[in-house]
């Protein structure tokens, strides 16, 4: 039998997200989740492009160190944004209780 003591106490961002999502109605949660899915998908594409650019720069002996460093910075930013969007999306889905159908477009 699960009790409240079995769940870890949420702090920081988890707590903040729970407070925000708790104030939303079911239709608002569903709309926010659909939007978050679309944004997450876009962030996956950006992160993948950044990864490929980083790999190409690392393999290119003519790529100057400053350019390589800038590409690395862009890659880290894209990865961080991707992970943040994933975290928010996971919390929205958890709160909503299901993954809504998302039509691209």
């Amino acid at each position: 039998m699960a009790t409240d003591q079995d769940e870890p106490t949420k702090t920081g961002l988890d707590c903040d997200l729970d407070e925000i999502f708790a104030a939303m109605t079911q239709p608002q949660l569903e709309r926010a989740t659909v939007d978050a899915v679309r944004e997450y998908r876009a962030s996956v594409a950006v992160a993948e492009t950044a990864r490929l650019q980083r790999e190409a720069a690392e393999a290119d002996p003519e790529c100057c160190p400053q350019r390589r460093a800038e590409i690395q910075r862009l890659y880290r930013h894209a990865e961080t944004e991707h992970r943040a969007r994933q975290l928010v999306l996971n919390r929205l889905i958890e709160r909503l209780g299901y993954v809504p159908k998302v039509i691209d477009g």
Side-chain angles (χ1 to χ4, degrees):
M1 176 181 221
T3 66
D4 289 341
Q5 293 175 351
D6 293 336
E7 291 186 28
T9 302
K10 292 184 180 180
T11 60
L13 184 58
D14 283 339
C15 185
D16 293 342
L17 289 175
D18 283 344
E19 287 178 19
I20 292 167
F21 299 154
M24 299 173 81
T25 65
Q26 192 76 0
Q28 289 171 327
L29 274 171
E30 185 168 319
R31 182 69 202 159
T33 305
V34 167
D35 290 345
V37 167
R38 288 186 178 125
E39 291 169 4
Y40 172 76
R41 289 176 181 170
S43 77
V44 170
V46 169
E48 179 63 8
T49 298
R51 183 188 67 79
L52 293 173
Q53 289 174 342
R54 186 196 70 185
E55 288 177 359
E58 289 173 354
D60 182 0
E62 296 191 21
C63 184
C64 71
Q66 295 86 0
R67 178 69 181 138
R68 197 172 291 137
E70 175 65 10
I71 289 171
Q72 178 66 22
R73 186 190 67 74
L74 292 171
Y75 168 73
R76 281 194 306 265
H77 176 79
E79 279 295 307
T80 300
E81 184 174 326
H82 164 72
R83 289 185 190 130
R85 290 187 184 282
Q86 184 176 30
L87 176 97
V88 171
L89 177 58
N90 288 343
R91 289 288 180 258
L92 279 164
I93 290 170
E94 183 180 289
R95 185 74 178 189
L96 186 60
Y98 63 94
V99 178
K101 183 175 181 178
V102 179
I103 300 170
D104 290 330

